[in-house]
Amino acid sequence: MFVKYHSENFPLIYIEFINKSPNPEEWDKFLNDWLELYSFKKDFILIFDTRQIEYFPPIEYTMKMIHFMDELKKRKDNYLKKNLILVNNQTIKNI
């Protein structure tokens, strides 16, 4: 898996990206796990730690992420209150 969810400190969710390019199933699971956080119907905060990533994500995943985030913004039950992205890599930062 290219990502690890750490939810033991809910409502703070720490998402750690590992330096591994995801396959399509892993990417879909990542998005579904994120979406599942809304099922708790409680506010939460996401921290995305991308500091281990050394690869450029495939454009198809970037496009899926854009679409996914657009869909989240349309939701009436927006429990995501804040997010933070930890970045070391300039390429990732520019995405």
Side-chain angles (χ1 to χ4, degrees), residues 48-82:
F48 297 95
D49 187 347
T50 69
R51 295 177 293 181
Q52 293 184 49
I53 295 178
E54 295 177 2
Y55 63 88
F56 186 79
I59 190 69
E60 65 199 57
Y61 296 141
T62 304
M63 297 306 294
K64 279 185 174 184
M65 176 65 89
I66 291 169
H67 176 72
F68 178 78
M69 294 176 76
D70 284 344
E71 291 300 312
L72 285 180
K73 288 177 186 177
K74 294 176 186 175
R75 293 180 65 111
K76 292 180 181 175
D77 61 342
N78 191 1
Y79 296 108
L80 175 60
K81 296 304 167 191
K82 293 183 183 180

PDB file of all heavy atoms in Angstrom, residues 48-82:
ATOM      1  N   PHE A  48      -1.791  15.384   5.505  1.00  0.00           N
ATOM      2  CA  PHE A  48      -1.206  14.577   4.440  1.00  0.00           C
ATOM      3  C   PHE A  48       0.307  14.745   4.514  1.00  0.00           C
ATOM      4  O   PHE A  48       0.828  15.832   4.273  1.00  0.00           O
ATOM      5  CB  PHE A  48      -1.685  15.057   3.065  1.00  0.00           C
ATOM      6  CG  PHE A  48      -3.158  14.922   2.851  1.00  0.00           C
ATOM      7  CD1 PHE A  48      -4.011  15.986   3.096  1.00  0.00           C
ATOM      8  CD2 PHE A  48      -3.696  13.727   2.397  1.00  0.00           C
ATOM      9  CE1 PHE A  48      -5.374  15.869   2.887  1.00  0.00           C
ATOM     10  CE2 PHE A  48      -5.060  13.608   2.187  1.00  0.00           C
ATOM     11  CZ  PHE A  48      -5.899  14.675   2.432  1.00  0.00           C
ATOM     12  N   ASP A  49       0.991  13.668   4.822  1.00  0.00           N
ATOM     13  CA  ASP A  49       2.448  13.720   4.900  1.00  0.00           C
ATOM     14  C   ASP A  49       3.026  13.114   3.622  1.00  0.00           C
ATOM     15  O   ASP A  49       3.057  11.899   3.446  1.00  0.00           O
ATOM     16  CB  ASP A  49       2.940  12.955   6.124  1.00  0.00           C
ATOM     17  CG  ASP A  49       4.425  13.126   6.350  1.00  0.00           C
ATOM     18  OD1 ASP A  49       5.125  13.633   5.445  1.00  0.00           O
ATOM     19  OD2 ASP A  49       4.891  12.750   7.437  1.00  0.00           O
ATOM     20  N   THR A  50       3.473  13.974   2.726  1.00  0.00           N
ATOM     21  CA  THR A  50       4.023  13.536   1.436  1.00  0.00           C
ATOM     22  C   THR A  50       5.555  13.571   1.423  1.00  0.00           C
ATOM     23  O   THR A  50       6.152  13.404   0.366  1.00  0.00           O
ATOM     24  CB  THR A  50       3.500  14.425   0.289  1.00  0.00           C
ATOM     25  OG1 THR A  50       4.065  15.726   0.428  1.00  0.00           O
ATOM     26  CG2 THR A  50       1.989  14.499   0.274  1.00  0.00           C
ATOM     27  N   ARG A  51       6.160  13.762   2.553  1.00  0.00           N
ATOM     28  CA  ARG A  51       7.614  13.972   2.592  1.00  0.00           C
ATOM     29  C   ARG A  51       8.437  12.777   2.130  1.00  0.00           C
ATOM     30  O   ARG A  51       9.591  12.954   1.760  1.00  0.00           O
ATOM     31  CB  ARG A  51       8.038  14.407   3.988  1.00  0.00           C
ATOM     32  CG  ARG A  51       7.462  15.782   4.352  1.00  0.00           C
ATOM     33  CD  ARG A  51       7.801  16.192   5.735  1.00  0.00           C
ATOM     34  NE  ARG A  51       7.113  15.315   6.688  1.00  0.00           N
ATOM     35  CZ  ARG A  51       7.203  15.446   7.997  1.00  0.00           C
ATOM     36  NH1 ARG A  51       7.947  16.390   8.519  1.00  0.00           N
ATOM     37  NH2 ARG A  51       6.539  14.619   8.788  1.00  0.00           N
ATOM     38  N   GLN A  52       7.871  11.592   2.102  1.00  0.00           N
ATOM     39  CA  GLN A  52       8.619  10.423   1.629  1.00  0.00           C
ATOM     40  C   GLN A  52       8.489  10.194   0.124  1.00  0.00           C
ATOM     41  O   GLN A  52       9.207   9.382  -0.449  1.00  0.00           O
ATOM     42  CB  GLN A  52       8.144   9.162   2.359  1.00  0.00           C
ATOM     43  CG  GLN A  52       8.479   9.150   3.827  1.00  0.00           C
ATOM     44  CD  GLN A  52       8.069   7.843   4.463  1.00  0.00           C
ATOM     45  OE1 GLN A  52       8.371   6.772   3.962  1.00  0.00           O
ATOM     46  NE2 GLN A  52       7.360   7.934   5.576  1.00  0.00           N
ATOM     47  N   ILE A  53       7.582  10.910  -0.502  1.00  0.00           N
ATOM     48  CA  ILE A  53       7.328  10.703  -1.935  1.00  0.00           C
ATOM     49  C   ILE A  53       8.468  11.296  -2.762  1.00  0.00           C
ATOM     50  O   ILE A  53       8.806  12.462  -2.624  1.00  0.00           O
ATOM     51  CB  ILE A  53       5.984  11.328  -2.360  1.00  0.00           C
ATOM     52  CG1 ILE A  53       4.831  10.632  -1.674  1.00  0.00           C
ATOM     53  CG2 ILE A  53       5.825  11.251  -3.880  1.00  0.00           C
ATOM     54  CD1 ILE A  53       3.478  11.221  -1.993  1.00  0.00           C
ATOM     55  N   GLU A  54       8.999  10.461  -3.656  1.00  0.00           N
ATOM     56  CA  GLU A  54      10.053  10.916  -4.562  1.00  0.00           C
ATOM     57  C   GLU A  54       9.655  10.756  -6.017  1.00  0.00           C
ATOM     58  O   GLU A  54      10.430  11.037  -6.910  1.00  0.00           O
ATOM     59  CB  GLU A  54      11.340  10.124  -4.288  1.00  0.00           C
ATOM     60  CG  GLU A  54      11.895  10.389  -2.911  1.00  0.00           C
ATOM     61  CD  GLU A  54      13.125   9.546  -2.603  1.00  0.00           C
ATOM     62  OE1 GLU A  54      13.567   8.771  -3.480  1.00  0.00           O
ATOM     63  OE2 GLU A  54      13.635   9.662  -1.485  1.00  0.00           O
ATOM     64  N   TYR A  55       8.455  10.292  -6.259  1.00  0.00           N
ATOM     65  CA  TYR A  55       7.983  10.070  -7.623  1.00  0.00           C
ATOM     66  C   TYR A  55       6.912  11.094  -7.961  1.00  0.00           C
ATOM     67  O   TYR A  55       6.307  11.691  -7.085  1.00  0.00           O
ATOM     68  CB  TYR A  55       7.404   8.652  -7.775  1.00  0.00           C
ATOM     69  CG  TYR A  55       6.194   8.421  -6.898  1.00  0.00           C
ATOM     70  CD1 TYR A  55       4.922   8.733  -7.338  1.00  0.00           C
ATOM     71  CD2 TYR A  55       6.332   7.924  -5.603  1.00  0.00           C
ATOM     72  CE1 TYR A  55       3.814   8.559  -6.528  1.00  0.00           C
ATOM     73  CE2 TYR A  55       5.230   7.737  -4.788  1.00  0.00           C
ATOM     74  CZ  TYR A  55       3.974   8.060  -5.260  1.00  0.00           C
ATOM     75  OH  TYR A  55       2.890   7.892  -4.450  1.00  0.00           O
ATOM     76  N   PHE A  56       6.693  11.271  -9.244  1.00  0.00           N
ATOM     77  CA  PHE A  56       5.608  12.138  -9.701  1.00  0.00           C
ATOM     78  C   PHE A  56       4.385  11.265  -9.931  1.00  0.00           C
ATOM     79  O   PHE A  56       4.438  10.302 -10.686  1.00  0.00           O
ATOM     80  CB  PHE A  56       6.005  12.848 -11.000  1.00  0.00           C
ATOM     81  CG  PHE A  56       5.002  13.863 -11.446  1.00  0.00           C
ATOM     82  CD1 PHE A  56       4.965  15.107 -10.855  1.00  0.00           C
ATOM     83  CD2 PHE A  56       4.079  13.565 -12.430  1.00  0.00           C
ATOM     84  CE1 PHE A  56       4.027  16.056 -11.250  1.00  0.00           C
ATOM     85  CE2 PHE A  56       3.144  14.506 -12.830  1.00  0.00           C
ATOM     86  CZ  PHE A  56       3.124  15.742 -12.240  1.00  0.00           C
ATOM     87  N   PRO A  57       3.260  11.557  -9.266  1.00  0.00           N
ATOM     88  CA  PRO A  57       2.060  10.719  -9.454  1.00  0.00           C
ATOM     89  C   PRO A  57       1.594  10.742 -10.910  1.00  0.00           C
ATOM     90  O   PRO A  57       1.660  11.780 -11.564  1.00  0.00           O
ATOM     91  CB  PRO A  57       1.013  11.386  -8.561  1.00  0.00           C
ATOM     92  CG  PRO A  57       1.758  12.282  -7.649  1.00  0.00           C
ATOM     93  CD  PRO A  57       3.036  12.647  -8.339  1.00  0.00           C
ATOM     94  N   PRO A  58       1.131   9.613 -11.404  1.00  0.00           N
ATOM     95  CA  PRO A  58       0.597   9.586 -12.773  1.00  0.00           C
ATOM     96  C   PRO A  58      -0.527  10.602 -12.935  1.00  0.00           C
ATOM     97  O   PRO A  58      -1.310  10.821 -12.020  1.00  0.00           O
ATOM     98  CB  PRO A  58       0.075   8.157 -12.934  1.00  0.00           C
ATOM     99  CG  PRO A  58       0.823   7.360 -11.907  1.00  0.00           C
ATOM    100  CD  PRO A  58       1.077   8.309 -10.772  1.00  0.00           C
ATOM    101  N   ILE A  59      -0.606  11.192 -14.085  1.00  0.00           N
ATOM    102  CA  ILE A  59      -1.588  12.245 -14.347  1.00  0.00           C
ATOM    103  C   ILE A  59      -3.016  11.746 -14.124  1.00  0.00           C
ATOM    104  O   ILE A  59      -3.872  12.505 -13.664  1.00  0.00           O
ATOM    105  CB  ILE A  59      -1.414  12.840 -15.771  1.00  0.00           C
ATOM    106  CG1 ILE A  59      -2.262  14.095 -15.944  1.00  0.00           C
ATOM    107  CG2 ILE A  59      -1.737  11.810 -16.836  1.00  0.00           C
ATOM    108  CD1 ILE A  59      -1.802  15.266 -15.149  1.00  0.00           C
ATOM    109  N   GLU A  60      -3.275  10.479 -14.398  1.00  0.00           N
ATOM    110  CA  GLU A  60      -4.637   9.954 -14.199  1.00  0.00           C
ATOM    111  C   GLU A  60      -5.042  10.032 -12.732  1.00  0.00           C
ATOM    112  O   GLU A  60      -6.198  10.306 -12.412  1.00  0.00           O
ATOM    113  CB  GLU A  60      -4.745   8.523 -14.711  1.00  0.00           C
ATOM    114  CG  GLU A  60      -3.884   7.545 -13.946  1.00  0.00           C
ATOM    115  CD  GLU A  60      -3.629   6.264 -14.686  1.00  0.00           C
ATOM    116  OE1 GLU A  60      -3.105   6.334 -15.812  1.00  0.00           O
ATOM    117  OE2 GLU A  60      -3.946   5.197 -14.139  1.00  0.00           O
ATOM    118  N   TYR A  61      -4.084   9.835 -11.811  1.00  0.00           N
ATOM    119  CA  TYR A  61      -4.402   9.936 -10.386  1.00  0.00           C
ATOM    120  C   TYR A  61      -4.609  11.390  -9.970  1.00  0.00           C
ATOM    121  O   TYR A  61      -5.457  11.687  -9.142  1.00  0.00           O
ATOM    122  CB  TYR A  61      -3.315   9.298  -9.530  1.00  0.00           C
ATOM    123  CG  TYR A  61      -3.158   7.813  -9.751  1.00  0.00           C
ATOM    124  CD1 TYR A  61      -1.908   7.231  -9.762  1.00  0.00           C
ATOM    125  CD2 TYR A  61      -4.261   6.995  -9.956  1.00  0.00           C
ATOM    126  CE1 TYR A  61      -1.752   5.867  -9.965  1.00  0.00           C
ATOM    127  CE2 TYR A  61      -4.115   5.637 -10.166  1.00  0.00           C
ATOM    128  CZ  TYR A  61      -2.861   5.078 -10.169  1.00  0.00           C
ATOM    129  OH  TYR A  61      -2.719   3.742 -10.361  1.00  0.00           O
ATOM    130  N   THR A  62      -3.836  12.251 -10.564  1.00  0.00           N
ATOM    131  CA  THR A  62      -4.011  13.671 -10.276  1.00  0.00           C
ATOM    132  C   THR A  62      -5.399  14.127 -10.729  1.00  0.00           C
ATOM    133  O   THR A  62      -6.088  14.850 -10.005  1.00  0.00           O
ATOM    134  CB  THR A  62      -2.913  14.501 -10.988  1.00  0.00           C
ATOM    135  OG1 THR A  62      -1.632  14.000 -10.593  1.00  0.00           O
ATOM    136  CG2 THR A  62      -3.023  15.963 -10.655  1.00  0.00           C
ATOM    137  N   MET A  63      -5.821  13.685 -11.892  1.00  0.00           N
ATOM    138  CA  MET A  63      -7.141  14.051 -12.402  1.00  0.00           C
ATOM    139  C   MET A  63      -8.249  13.446 -11.536  1.00  0.00           C
ATOM    140  O   MET A  63      -9.247  14.114 -11.251  1.00  0.00           O
ATOM    141  CB  MET A  63      -7.304  13.599 -13.867  1.00  0.00           C
ATOM    142  CG  MET A  63      -6.315  14.273 -14.815  1.00  0.00           C
ATOM    143  SD  MET A  63      -6.343  16.079 -14.722  1.00  0.00           S
ATOM    144  CE  MET A  63      -7.955  16.413 -15.354  1.00  0.00           C
ATOM    145  N   LYS A  64      -8.071  12.214 -11.099  1.00  0.00           N
ATOM    146  CA  LYS A  64      -9.059  11.594 -10.210  1.00  0.00           C
ATOM    147  C   LYS A  64      -9.162  12.377  -8.897  1.00  0.00           C
ATOM    148  O   LYS A  64     -10.241  12.555  -8.355  1.00  0.00           O
ATOM    149  CB  LYS A  64      -8.678  10.140  -9.903  1.00  0.00           C
ATOM    150  CG  LYS A  64      -9.062   9.169 -10.968  1.00  0.00           C
ATOM    151  CD  LYS A  64      -8.753   7.754 -10.493  1.00  0.00           C
ATOM    152  CE  LYS A  64      -9.253   6.714 -11.447  1.00  0.00           C
ATOM    153  NZ  LYS A  64      -9.048   5.346 -10.943  1.00  0.00           N
ATOM    154  N   MET A  65      -8.016  12.819  -8.411  1.00  0.00           N
ATOM    155  CA  MET A  65      -8.005  13.571  -7.156  1.00  0.00           C
ATOM    156  C   MET A  65      -8.738  14.897  -7.327  1.00  0.00           C
ATOM    157  O   MET A  65      -9.518  15.298  -6.462  1.00  0.00           O
ATOM    158  CB  MET A  65      -6.566  13.814  -6.689  1.00  0.00           C
ATOM    159  CG  MET A  65      -6.473  14.656  -5.449  1.00  0.00           C
ATOM    160  SD  MET A  65      -7.182  13.866  -4.008  1.00  0.00           S
ATOM    161  CE  MET A  65      -5.769  12.993  -3.433  1.00  0.00           C
ATOM    162  N   ILE A  66      -8.515  15.579  -8.412  1.00  0.00           N
ATOM    163  CA  ILE A  66      -9.206  16.846  -8.680  1.00  0.00           C
ATOM    164  C   ILE A  66     -10.715  16.621  -8.728  1.00  0.00           C
ATOM    165  O   ILE A  66     -11.484  17.358  -8.112  1.00  0.00           O
ATOM    166  CB  ILE A  66      -8.682  17.492  -9.980  1.00  0.00           C
ATOM    167  CG1 ILE A  66      -7.242  17.966  -9.776  1.00  0.00           C
ATOM    168  CG2 ILE A  66      -9.595  18.631 -10.435  1.00  0.00           C
ATOM    169  CD1 ILE A  66      -6.543  18.370 -11.059  1.00  0.00           C
ATOM    170  N   HIS A  67     -11.124  15.599  -9.442  1.00  0.00           N
ATOM    171  CA  HIS A  67     -12.558  15.281  -9.538  1.00  0.00           C
ATOM    172  C   HIS A  67     -13.122  14.924  -8.157  1.00  0.00           C
ATOM    173  O   HIS A  67     -14.205  15.394  -7.778  1.00  0.00           O
ATOM    174  CB  HIS A  67     -12.782  14.147 -10.527  1.00  0.00           C
ATOM    175  CG  HIS A  67     -14.193  13.708 -10.620  1.00  0.00           C
ATOM    176  ND1 HIS A  67     -15.167  14.474 -11.234  1.00  0.00           N
ATOM    177  CD2 HIS A  67     -14.821  12.605 -10.157  1.00  0.00           C
ATOM    178  CE1 HIS A  67     -16.328  13.848 -11.136  1.00  0.00           C
ATOM    179  NE2 HIS A  67     -16.144  12.716 -10.492  1.00  0.00           N
ATOM    180  N   PHE A  68     -12.404  14.109  -7.420  1.00  0.00           N
ATOM    181  CA  PHE A  68     -12.834  13.698  -6.092  1.00  0.00           C
ATOM    182  C   PHE A  68     -13.010  14.910  -5.177  1.00  0.00           C
ATOM    183  O   PHE A  68     -14.012  15.051  -4.487  1.00  0.00           O
ATOM    184  CB  PHE A  68     -11.803  12.727  -5.510  1.00  0.00           C
ATOM    185  CG  PHE A  68     -12.108  12.255  -4.123  1.00  0.00           C
ATOM    186  CD1 PHE A  68     -13.054  11.266  -3.912  1.00  0.00           C
ATOM    187  CD2 PHE A  68     -11.446  12.787  -3.030  1.00  0.00           C
ATOM    188  CE1 PHE A  68     -13.338  10.814  -2.630  1.00  0.00           C
ATOM    189  CE2 PHE A  68     -11.722  12.347  -1.754  1.00  0.00           C
ATOM    190  CZ  PHE A  68     -12.668  11.361  -1.552  1.00  0.00           C
ATOM    191  N   MET A  69     -12.061  15.807  -5.201  1.00  0.00           N
ATOM    192  CA  MET A  69     -12.132  16.995  -4.344  1.00  0.00           C
ATOM    193  C   MET A  69     -13.272  17.911  -4.768  1.00  0.00           C
ATOM    194  O   MET A  69     -13.930  18.512  -3.916  1.00  0.00           O
ATOM    195  CB  MET A  69     -10.793  17.706  -4.326  1.00  0.00           C
ATOM    196  CG  MET A  69      -9.733  16.845  -3.644  1.00  0.00           C
ATOM    197  SD  MET A  69      -8.109  17.558  -3.679  1.00  0.00           S
ATOM    198  CE  MET A  69      -8.297  18.793  -2.416  1.00  0.00           C
ATOM    199  N   ASP A  70     -13.509  18.022  -6.047  1.00  0.00           N
ATOM    200  CA  ASP A  70     -14.652  18.809  -6.522  1.00  0.00           C
ATOM    201  C   ASP A  70     -15.965  18.222  -6.002  1.00  0.00           C
ATOM    202  O   ASP A  70     -16.865  18.962  -5.589  1.00  0.00           O
ATOM    203  CB  ASP A  70     -14.687  18.853  -8.051  1.00  0.00           C
ATOM    204  CG  ASP A  70     -13.662  19.799  -8.641  1.00  0.00           C
ATOM    205  OD1 ASP A  70     -13.123  20.644  -7.897  1.00  0.00           O
ATOM    206  OD2 ASP A  70     -13.380  19.683  -9.857  1.00  0.00           O
ATOM    207  N   GLU A  71     -16.066  16.907  -6.017  1.00  0.00           N
ATOM    208  CA  GLU A  71     -17.268  16.250  -5.510  1.00  0.00           C
ATOM    209  C   GLU A  71     -17.422  16.468  -4.000  1.00  0.00           C
ATOM    210  O   GLU A  71     -18.529  16.676  -3.511  1.00  0.00           O
ATOM    211  CB  GLU A  71     -17.253  14.755  -5.834  1.00  0.00           C
ATOM    212  CG  GLU A  71     -17.409  14.440  -7.303  1.00  0.00           C
ATOM    213  CD  GLU A  71     -18.714  14.962  -7.871  1.00  0.00           C
ATOM    214  OE1 GLU A  71     -19.776  14.736  -7.259  1.00  0.00           O
ATOM    215  OE2 GLU A  71     -18.671  15.615  -8.933  1.00  0.00           O
ATOM    216  N   LEU A  72     -16.316  16.424  -3.278  1.00  0.00           N
ATOM    217  CA  LEU A  72     -16.383  16.665  -1.836  1.00  0.00           C
ATOM    218  C   LEU A  72     -16.872  18.076  -1.526  1.00  0.00           C
ATOM    219  O   LEU A  72     -17.632  18.282  -0.580  1.00  0.00           O
ATOM    220  CB  LEU A  72     -15.009  16.456  -1.182  1.00  0.00           C
ATOM    221  CG  LEU A  72     -14.541  15.025  -1.002  1.00  0.00           C
ATOM    222  CD1 LEU A  72     -13.165  15.012  -0.347  1.00  0.00           C
ATOM    223  CD2 LEU A  72     -15.522  14.204  -0.187  1.00  0.00           C
ATOM    224  N   LYS A  73     -16.450  19.024  -2.313  1.00  0.00           N
ATOM    225  CA  LYS A  73     -16.854  20.417  -2.092  1.00  0.00           C
ATOM    226  C   LYS A  73     -18.360  20.611  -2.282  1.00  0.00           C
ATOM    227  O   LYS A  73     -18.942  21.512  -1.700  1.00  0.00           O
ATOM    228  CB  LYS A  73     -16.092  21.346  -3.037  1.00  0.00           C
ATOM    229  CG  LYS A  73     -14.645  21.491  -2.673  1.00  0.00           C
ATOM    230  CD  LYS A  73     -13.913  22.362  -3.679  1.00  0.00           C
ATOM    231  CE  LYS A  73     -12.438  22.391  -3.388  1.00  0.00           C
ATOM    232  NZ  LYS A  73     -11.700  23.164  -4.385  1.00  0.00           N
ATOM    233  N   LYS A  74     -18.976  19.766  -3.073  1.00  0.00           N
ATOM    234  CA  LYS A  74     -20.410  19.866  -3.327  1.00  0.00           C
ATOM    235  C   LYS A  74     -21.248  19.271  -2.200  1.00  0.00           C
ATOM    236  O   LYS A  74     -22.443  19.518  -2.131  1.00  0.00           O
ATOM    237  CB  LYS A  74     -20.759  19.140  -4.632  1.00  0.00           C
ATOM    238  CG  LYS A  74     -20.173  19.785  -5.858  1.00  0.00           C
ATOM    239  CD  LYS A  74     -20.494  18.952  -7.082  1.00  0.00           C
ATOM    240  CE  LYS A  74     -19.794  19.481  -8.314  1.00  0.00           C
ATOM    241  NZ  LYS A  74     -20.023  18.606  -9.478  1.00  0.00           N
ATOM    242  N   ARG A  75     -20.622  18.496  -1.360  1.00  0.00           N
ATOM    243  CA  ARG A  75     -21.361  17.829  -0.282  1.00  0.00           C
ATOM    244  C   ARG A  75     -21.888  18.840   0.720  1.00  0.00           C
ATOM    245  O   ARG A  75     -21.234  19.832   1.031  1.00  0.00           O
ATOM    246  CB  ARG A  75     -20.456  16.840   0.450  1.00  0.00           C
ATOM    247  CG  ARG A  75     -20.038  15.665  -0.387  1.00  0.00           C
ATOM    248  CD  ARG A  75     -19.145  14.756   0.427  1.00  0.00           C
ATOM    249  NE  ARG A  75     -19.874  14.170   1.537  1.00  0.00           N
ATOM    250  CZ  ARG A  75     -20.190  12.886   1.630  1.00  0.00           C
ATOM    251  NH1 ARG A  75     -19.828  12.063   0.682  1.00  0.00           N
ATOM    252  NH2 ARG A  75     -20.840  12.439   2.673  1.00  0.00           N
ATOM    253  N   LYS A  76     -23.048  18.568   1.236  1.00  0.00           N
ATOM    254  CA  LYS A  76     -23.620  19.428   2.274  1.00  0.00           C
ATOM    255  C   LYS A  76     -23.054  19.077   3.643  1.00  0.00           C
ATOM    256  O   LYS A  76     -23.029  19.911   4.531  1.00  0.00           O
ATOM    257  CB  LYS A  76     -25.138  19.276   2.280  1.00  0.00           C
ATOM    258  CG  LYS A  76     -25.757  19.843   1.032  1.00  0.00           C
ATOM    259  CD  LYS A  76     -27.239  19.705   1.041  1.00  0.00           C
ATOM    260  CE  LYS A  76     -27.755  20.280  -0.267  1.00  0.00           C
ATOM    261  NZ  LYS A  76     -29.158  20.113  -0.458  1.00  0.00           N
ATOM    262  N   ASP A  77     -22.613  17.850   3.789  1.00  0.00           N
ATOM    263  CA  ASP A  77     -22.060  17.395   5.065  1.00  0.00           C
ATOM    264  C   ASP A  77     -20.529  17.461   5.034  1.00  0.00           C
ATOM    265  O   ASP A  77     -19.852  16.449   5.030  1.00  0.00           O
ATOM    266  CB  ASP A  77     -22.532  15.976   5.383  1.00  0.00           C
ATOM    267  CG  ASP A  77     -22.098  14.959   4.343  1.00  0.00           C
ATOM    268  OD1 ASP A  77     -21.742  15.356   3.217  1.00  0.00           O
ATOM    269  OD2 ASP A  77     -22.103  13.761   4.663  1.00  0.00           O
ATOM    270  N   ASN A  78     -20.019  18.645   5.014  1.00  0.00           N
ATOM    271  CA  ASN A  78     -18.569  18.802   4.934  1.00  0.00           C
ATOM    272  C   ASN A  78     -17.964  18.762   6.335  1.00  0.00           C
ATOM    273  O   ASN A  78     -17.872  19.778   7.008  1.00  0.00           O
ATOM    274  CB  ASN A  78     -18.199  20.096   4.221  1.00  0.00           C
ATOM    275  CG  ASN A  78     -16.730  20.134   3.908  1.00  0.00           C
ATOM    276  OD1 ASN A  78     -16.000  19.205   4.205  1.00  0.00           O
ATOM    277  ND2 ASN A  78     -16.305  21.224   3.303  1.00  0.00           N
ATOM    278  N   TYR A  79     -17.532  17.589   6.734  1.00  0.00           N
ATOM    279  CA  TYR A  79     -16.952  17.403   8.060  1.00  0.00           C
ATOM    280  C   TYR A  79     -15.460  17.706   8.098  1.00  0.00           C
ATOM    281  O   TYR A  79     -14.889  17.829   9.172  1.00  0.00           O
ATOM    282  CB  TYR A  79     -17.205  15.981   8.558  1.00  0.00           C
ATOM    283  CG  TYR A  79     -18.659  15.685   8.752  1.00  0.00           C
ATOM    284  CD1 TYR A  79     -19.345  14.839   7.888  1.00  0.00           C
ATOM    285  CD2 TYR A  79     -19.365  16.265   9.798  1.00  0.00           C
ATOM    286  CE1 TYR A  79     -20.690  14.575   8.061  1.00  0.00           C
ATOM    287  CE2 TYR A  79     -20.715  16.021   9.981  1.00  0.00           C
ATOM    288  CZ  TYR A  79     -21.362  15.165   9.106  1.00  0.00           C
ATOM    289  OH  TYR A  79     -22.698  14.919   9.293  1.00  0.00           O
ATOM    290  N   LEU A  80     -14.853  17.819   6.936  1.00  0.00           N
ATOM    291  CA  LEU A  80     -13.434  18.172   6.888  1.00  0.00           C
ATOM    292  C   LEU A  80     -13.291  19.646   7.241  1.00  0.00           C
ATOM    293  O   LEU A  80     -13.718  20.526   6.501  1.00  0.00           O
ATOM    294  CB  LEU A  80     -12.855  17.899   5.505  1.00  0.00           C
ATOM    295  CG  LEU A  80     -11.410  18.330   5.294  1.00  0.00           C
ATOM    296  CD1 LEU A  80     -10.473  17.631   6.263  1.00  0.00           C
ATOM    297  CD2 LEU A  80     -10.989  18.076   3.859  1.00  0.00           C
ATOM    298  N   LYS A  81     -12.696  19.920   8.385  1.00  0.00           N
ATOM    299  CA  LYS A  81     -12.591  21.295   8.867  1.00  0.00           C
ATOM    300  C   LYS A  81     -11.272  21.954   8.497  1.00  0.00           C
ATOM    301  O   LYS A  81     -11.208  23.162   8.304  1.00  0.00           O
ATOM    302  CB  LYS A  81     -12.798  21.348  10.386  1.00  0.00           C
ATOM    303  CG  LYS A  81     -14.182  20.926  10.787  1.00  0.00           C
ATOM    304  CD  LYS A  81     -15.210  21.784  10.063  1.00  0.00           C
ATOM    305  CE  LYS A  81     -16.602  21.244  10.164  1.00  0.00           C
ATOM    306  NZ  LYS A  81     -17.537  21.903   9.283  1.00  0.00           N
ATOM    307  N   LYS A  82     -10.228  21.158   8.416  1.00  0.00           N
ATOM    308  CA  LYS A  82      -8.915  21.691   8.039  1.00  0.00           C
ATOM    309  C   LYS A  82      -8.120  20.572   7.397  1.00  0.00           C
ATOM    310  O   LYS A  82      -8.356  19.400   7.652  1.00  0.00           O
ATOM    311  CB  LYS A  82      -8.143  22.177   9.265  1.00  0.00           C
ATOM    312  CG  LYS A  82      -8.735  23.372   9.945  1.00  0.00           C
ATOM    313  CD  LYS A  82      -7.860  23.793  11.091  1.00  0.00           C
ATOM    314  CE  LYS A  82      -8.517  24.968  11.813  1.00  0.00           C
ATOM    315  NZ  LYS A  82      -7.724  25.427  12.944  1.00  0.00           N
TER     316      LYS A  82
END
